């Protein structure tokens, strides 16, 4: 049995160390970038067993991604390779700590060719949680179908479905995004939207309203609120859970993925929702304090240590 199964595209990420426009950058350190593999790595570091499914190009970049994710202890045994399409690439341009542009070279990538028939149903059904994002269904029609097939399998096996909308309007139209995100939401047990995503999906404004609307009566909705932490709406309960103060935000990206890993880790440990979200907030805060999407993802001892001072304050 595995704890979590996730699927999605991981690209090679070229992110210069310097803050400047990309046309004047000469050196590009090579890393990996992909929301679902970030989450998988986050969970693995927190001590969980995770399976990550994707399709990579039969090229040096595909092999680099495969080895990197495997090296983090994530099970990549169901991942596929193809010679028909290249591994996707991504460049990040940081102009200031808060101002980041992303350039994708992923159209027609190997991952966009993933198909429902390539999912290993027996393997997937052995997981306790299925994690899906709104990025994968935006990549292609077959990717959308693959996500829906994964959801169908999860439902047949009474797995918990955790959905992070991860809205990427560079990948699809607003209309299609809204339809598909709401369709996936209707199958999810737990949703982890950012406030802007929740507003986009519901057409409502306030944190309380969007959460109520997305909960649709029986879903647990956890709205991510950046430095303010998060807001939980579950059953008859609804409350804010404060974030952890961060003196200097080094890289705002990836906090949401660390948060998702923290939430699922807590659920697997059967902790109370408030405890789950407190730790997820701590992980999000740790991630924004470090450059890169995965560099800041902590091990369990590290989060516990990070959270300890505020524990003392409460005593
Ligand atoms: P991403 O940029 O990765 O897509 P997101 O938009 O999904 O992130 P955020 O609300 O930015 O989600 O961050 C997720 C969580 O990380 C927050 O709910 C919070 O717990 C923590 N976090 C993010 N930014 C900060 C910050 N500046 N200070 C403290 N905690 C933060």
């Amino acid at each position: 049995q595995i704890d979590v199964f996730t699927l999605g595209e991981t690209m090679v990420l070229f992110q210069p160390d310097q803050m400047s426009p990309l046309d004047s950058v000469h050196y590009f350190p090579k890393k990996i970038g992909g929301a679902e593999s970030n989450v998988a790595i986050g969970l693995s570091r927190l001590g969980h067993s995770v399976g990550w499914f994707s399709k990579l190009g039969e090229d040096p970049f595909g092999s680099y991604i495969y080895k990197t994710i495997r090296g983090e202890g994530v099970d990549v045994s169901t991942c596929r390779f193809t010679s028909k399409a290249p591994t996707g690439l991504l460049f990040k341009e940081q102009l200031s700590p808060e101002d980041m542009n992303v350039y994708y070279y992923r159209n027609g990538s190997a991952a966009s060719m993933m198909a429902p028939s390539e999912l290993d149903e027996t393997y997937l059904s052995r997981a306790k949680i299925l994690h899906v994002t709104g990025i994968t269904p935006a990549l292609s029609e077959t990717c959308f179908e693959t996500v829906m097939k994964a959801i169908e399998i999860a439902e047949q096996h009474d797995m918990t479905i955790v959905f992070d909308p991860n809205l990427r309007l560079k990948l699809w139209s607003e209309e299609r995004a809204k339809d598909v995100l709401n369709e996936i939401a209707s199958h999810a047990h737990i949703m982890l939207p950012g406030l802007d995503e929740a507003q986009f999906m519901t057409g409502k404004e306030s944190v309380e309203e969007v959460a109520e609307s997305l909960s649709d009566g029986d879903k647990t909705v956890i709205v991510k609120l950046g430095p303010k932490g998060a807001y939980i709406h579950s059953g008859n309960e609804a409350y804010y859970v404060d974030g952890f103060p961060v003196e200097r935000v080094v890289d705002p990206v990836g906090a949401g993925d660390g948060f998702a890993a923290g939430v699922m880790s807590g659920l697997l440990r059967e902790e109370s929702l408030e405890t789950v979200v407190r730790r997820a907030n701590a992980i999000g805060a740790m991630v924004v304090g470090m450059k890169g999407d995965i560099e800041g993802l902590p091990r369990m001892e590290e989060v516990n240590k990070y959270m300890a001072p505020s524990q003392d304050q409460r005593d």
Side-chain angles (χ1 to χ4, degrees), residues 164 166 168 194 196-197 223-227 229-230 243-246 249 252-257 259 280-285 288:
D164 184 340
N166 259 313
R168 299 284 188 274
D196 49 346
E197 292 162 342
V223 184
K224 293 171 283 184
L225 301 170
F244 286 76
V246 173
V249 173
V253 181
D257 301 332
F259 185 93
N281 278 341
I283 296 173
V288 297

Side-chain angles (χ1 to χ4, degrees), residues 13 26 58 62 71-72 87 102 113 117 136 140-141 169 193-194 200-201 207 226 233 243 254 258 270 281 291:
L13 159 64
H26 296 286
E58 270 175 27
E72 289 285 346
T87 303
V102 171
M113 313 258 160
S117 61
T136 318
S140 68
E141 195 51 32
L169 284 175
F200 173 83
M201 289 174 69
V207 181
H233 182 115
E270 298 182 11
N281 278 341
K291 199 174 178 69

Side-chain angles (χ1 to χ4, degrees), residues 12-263:
V12 173
L13 159 64
F14 293 99
Q15 183 175 22
D17 289 328
Q18 71 196 88
M19 266 194 247
S20 77
L22 286 194
D23 56 5
S24 59
V25 173
H26 296 286
Y27 298 103
F28 292 87
K30 176 163 122 289
K31 304 178 187 183
I32 64 163
E36 302 81 7
S37 59
N38 293 343
V39 172
I41 291 169
L43 279 161
S44 176
R45 289 195 191 163
L46 292 170
H48 303 282
S49 55
V50 201
W52 172 78
F53 169 75
S54 192
K55 203 162 186 178
L56 294 161
E58 270 175 27
D59 47 41
F61 290 139
S63 135
Y64 165 65
I65 290 171
Y66 186 83
K67 286 191 280 193
T68 305
I69 297 175
R70 188 176 60 184
E72 289 285 346
V74 173
D75 184 2
V76 293
S77 59
T78 64
C79 182
R80 304 267 182 141
F81 283 85
T82 177
S83 57
K84 297 200 181 81
T87 303
L89 309 179
L90 146 89
F91 290 77
K92 277 190 186 170
E93 176 181 61
Q94 193 142 18
L95 302 172
S96 74
E98 277 79 33
D99 189 3
M100 167 102 75
N101 295 318
V102 171
Y103 299 90
Y104 292 134
Y105 296 81
R106 72 194 301 183
N107 242 337
S109 68
S112 73
M113 313 258 160
M114 71 171 80
S117 61
E118 294 168 340
L119 278 177
D120 182 335
E121 177 161 355
T122 313
Y123 180 89
L124 199 170
S125 66
R126 288 207 304 261
K128 294 177 194 148
I129 297 178
L130 169 69
H131 167 257
V132 286
T133 76
I135 303 172
T136 318
L139 300 177
S140 68
E141 195 51 32
T142 59
C143 282
F144 165 68
E145 289 163 6
T146 309
V147 168
M148 295 317 292
K149 175 77 186 169
I151 289 173
E152 190 188 313
I153 297 170
E155 285 180 333
Q156 280 163 2
H157 293 88
D158 290 325
M159 291 164 56
T160 301
I161 300 173
V162 175
F163 175 45
D164 184 340
N166 259 313
L167 178 64
R168 299 284 188 274
L169 284 175
K170 276 193 176 177
L171 299 178
W172 51 358
S173 70
E174 282 195 23
E175 202 186 0
R176 174 89 179 135
K178 195 174 286 178
D179 283 354
V180 173
L181 296 182
N182 278 304
E183 183 178 349
I184 297 177
S186 72
H187 295 274
H189 301 103
I190 296 164
M191 282 196 61
L192 309 174
L195 179 57
D196 49 346
E197 292 162 342
Q199 289 168 334
F200 173 83
M201 289 174 69
T202 61
K204 301 209 178 331
E205 267 305 308
S206 73
V207 181
E208 291 83 359
E209 279 173 336
V210 294
E212 161 102 54
S213 169
L214 286 175
S215 83
D216 198 20
D218 60 351
K219 276 180 230 315
T220 294
V221 179
I222 307 172
V223 184
K224 293 171 283 184
L225 301 170
K228 293 203 192 91
Y231 177 77
I232 305 176
H233 182 115
S234 182
N236 298 325
E237 289 191 321
Y239 50 95
Y240 287 87
V241 181
D242 284 345
F244 286 76
V246 173
E247 270 176 32
R248 204 165 69 92
V249 173
V250 179
D251 182 349
V253 181
D257 301 332
F259 185 93
V263 167

